[in-house]
Amino acid sequence: MQWLKMKLRFVNLILLLISSACAQLGGDPNGYLTYCPCMGRFGNQADHFLGSLAFAKALNRTLILPPWVEYRRGELRSRQVPFNTYFEVEPLKEYHRVITMADFMWHLADDIWPESERVSFCYKERYSLQQEKNDPDKPNCHAKDGNPFGPFWDTFHIDFVRSEFYAPLHFDVHHSNEAAKWQAKYPADSYPVLAFTGAPASFPVQLENCKLQRYLQWSQRYRDASKDFIREQLPRGAFLGIHLRNGIDWVRACEHVKDSQHLFASPQCLGYKNERGALYPELCMPSKEAIIRQLKRTIKNVRQTQPDNEIKSVFVASDSNHMIGELNTALSRMGISVHKLPEDDPYLDLAILGQSNHFIGNCISSYSAFVKRERDVHGFPSYFWGFPKEKDRKHSNVHEEL
């Protein structure tokens, strides 16, 4: 009898291993989902990724992890960087089934998603920039039209044989039975892969999906590089990480503040229903004087409240002007040194900012939002430039930390 029980346990273990292997390398009977992260740079793509991960789980389909889309100065076509260059794959599996696009295309696509059955999904017809491609009798997603759409799918030699318009379905699976509607309309046996022309998620990230940041963990390369920089380049003691968004494209984007209730990632400080206030220009583009005032105030506050762990340095990440000279001059009398990476690396900047003892970011920026979510996972304090308003700060008990 004991021998029989051991044999049954062994058989069950083998079946479990076989089932797991089939789901990853033998095909998931529940189907797959993927998309082109074709809107914006990394901050926007990260917001979309969290929503897409939640959407894939709600539909119970394995998420094919798309590469990150990058734009290099002087290059006409986007570059696609493998997902696991920056982030680990295994932690994501604690939440839901995932597979890299390279693994899927190399090991599974020929059987599960043959070239003759590749369908692109979009909400409604997308018109091509090349007018001769637009046929009123044959509406099309034009999934590969333009940059980065074409280069993205070309990376894996993917062409589509037809288009599928999924209107009026949508991606909010938290406040309706939308997932059941998707499953009913697109069963896995008829549609093994749902390949979207854009991310099946909203921007900015839905509040319900912010918590998924805990599964997005830096690759060993970036963990090591960030720790090495902090240990070797920054003085011993606490450091304050700051993000300065001040490039010309950002200056133009900030012009929309006056006409907007929300802009980009502004819900991270104002709330999704503006419960913490309305949008104002200083949130988007604080002046140099305001930046220096807030830095000095933050450093003094930490000295008073945490005398055993005073701020000794400031680390700056920026898309344009790091203000190293101005900040060193302004903070020298406080004994604070200001630092940046010797060569620009926005991903390493992010990894370092996530580990700073304190962080000040831009409320409107999705790049800052990534840092804020990561710090929330670890319970680290974060603040925003110009929030709350300086005049409101003087006459209220609102605490700056969020």
Side-chain angles (χ1 to χ4, degrees):
M1 183 64 70
Q2 187 66 26
W3 175 84
L4 182 59
K5 288 181 179 179
M6 291 179 63
K7 185 175 182 179
L8 287 173
R9 288 196 191 104
F10 179 75
V11 170
N12 287 335
L13 177 60
I14 293 298
L15 290 174
L16 181 62
L17 291 173
I18 291 174
S19 175
S20 177
C22 285
Q24 294 188 36
L25 292 178
D28 184 349
N30 298 297
Y32 296 81
L33 184 154
T34 194
Y35 64 95
C36 175
C38 289
M39 190 196 88
R41 298 181 185 273
F42 175 77
N44 297 35
Q45 293 176 41
D47 272 39
H48 273 156
F49 172 75
L50 298 183
S52 300
L53 181 62
F55 185 65
K57 183 176 178 66
L59 269 58
N60 194 28
R61 287 175 173 264
T62 294
L63 178 62
I64 302 172
L65 300 171
W68 303 100
V69 174
E70 296 185 1
Y71 306 90
R72 308 287 174 87
R73 185 171 299 175
E75 296 185 9
L76 298 179
R77 292 169 64 87
S78 64
R79 289 195 185 188
Q80 283 56 245
V81 180
F83 183 92
N84 54 358
T85 299
Y86 304 126
F87 300 100
E88 300 284 359
V89 172
E90 288 304 313
L92 293 168
K93 295 179 181 178
E94 296 176 20
Y95 175 74
H96 187 57
R97 304 183 305 279
V98 297
I99 185 173
T100 65
M101 184 169 277
D103 281 345
F104 177 81
M105 294 304 298
W106 292 340
H107 301 297
L108 298 174
D110 287 347
D111 294 325
I112 294 174
W113 201 37
E115 294 181 2
S116 60
E117 298 178 14
R118 294 178 182 175
V119 179
S120 64
F121 282 71
C122 55
Y123 186 76
K124 60 181 181 179
E125 180 181 7
R126 285 180 72 242
Y127 291 99
S128 173
L129 297 176
Q130 302 176 49
Q131 292 300 321
E132 63 274 13
K133 290 185 177 181
N134 297 317
D135 185 345
D137 297 323
K138 295 181 179 179
N140 197 297
C141 288
H142 294 292
K144 298 182 64 175
D145 194 64
N147 186 46
F149 300 94
F152 176 83
W153 298 111
D154 281 344
T155 301
F156 296 96
H157 308 289
I158 296 172
D159 292 305
F160 298 101
V161 296
R162 70 179 182 88
S163 299
E164 176 69 23
F165 309 115
Y166 58 80
L169 297 180
H170 56 80
F171 307 132
D172 185 358
V173 293
H174 297 291
H175 304 103
S176 65
N177 64 338
E178 201 67 14
K181 295 178 182 178
W182 277 95
Q183 291 168 328
K185 186 171 183 180
Y186 300 114
D189 55 356
S190 301
Y191 297 89
V193 178
L194 303 184
F196 293 92
T197 55
S202 62
F203 178 81
V205 61
Q206 278 186 277
L207 179 61
E208 294 83 356
N209 297 330
C210 289
K211 60 187 178 184
L212 302 186
Q213 184 79 29
R214 70 176 61 253
Y215 302 105
L216 197 55
Q217 298 179 17
W218 290 103
S219 65
Q220 189 67 51
R221 171 187 171 187
Y222 278 85
R223 290 201 302 273
D224 290 344
S226 59
K227 290 177 181 177
D228 288 347
F229 180 87
I230 293 170
R231 182 178 62 253
E232 298 171 5
Q233 302 300 323
L234 301 183
R236 291 176 62 86
F239 76 99
L240 169 62
I242 66 173
H243 176 217
L244 300 179
R245 191 77 160 87
N246 50 27
I248 186 60
D249 62 325
W250 191 251
V251 173
R252 294 185 183 123
C254 290
E255 295 173 357
H256 296 285
V257 165
K258 62 181 183 299
D259 304 315
S260 307
Q261 184 176 10
H262 273 305
L263 185 63
F264 305 144
S266 63
Q268 67 177 325
C269 72
L270 298 178
Y272 282 78
K273 298 180 180 179
N274 288 98
E275 59 268 26
R276 291 192 289 273
L279 199 59
Y280 49 94
E282 292 79 12
L283 280 179
C284 194
M285 184 60 70
S287 66
K288 290 183 179 180
E289 294 76 17
I291 289 170
I292 291 171
R293 281 198 304 272
Q294 189 166 343
L295 276 174
K296 289 182 175 180
R297 184 170 58 246
T298 300
I299 293 168
K300 289 177 181 177
N301 286 343
V302 172
R303 284 181 175 176
Q304 293 172 0
T305 58
Q306 302 176 38
D308 295 331
N309 197 28
E310 292 185 5
I311 292 172
K312 299 295 185 181
S313 61
V314 173
F315 173 76
V316 186
S318 178
D319 62 317
S320 182
N321 182 7
H322 290 74
M323 291 178 58
I324 298 297
E326 297 98 318
L327 297 182
N328 266 320
T329 299
L331 301 177
S332 61
R333 295 183 63 182
M334 302 180 76
I336 304 295
S337 56
V338 184
H339 307 262
K340 64 183 284 291
L341 290 177
E343 296 181 5
D344 289 342
D345 185 336
Y347 300 96
L348 185 53
D349 276 340
L350 284 172
I352 294 170
L353 292 174
Q355 297 176 63
S356 61
N357 300 81
H358 302 270
F359 169 66
I360 306 176
N362 188 300
C363 170
I364 313 301
S365 167
S366 58
Y367 186 92
S368 281
F370 183 95
V371 180
K372 171 69 163 59
R373 291 193 301 267
E374 182 177 8
R375 296 175 64 79
D376 286 349
V377 169
H378 301 292
F380 296 163
S382 300
Y383 323 91
F384 296 104
W385 300 115
F387 183 82
K389 284 184 177 181
E390 288 191 315
K391 64 178 181 180
D392 294 341
R393 188 184 294 115
K394 296 175 183 177
H395 303 291
S396 74
N397 293 320
V398 176
H399 197 278
E400 290 182 38
E401 182 180 329
L402 282 177

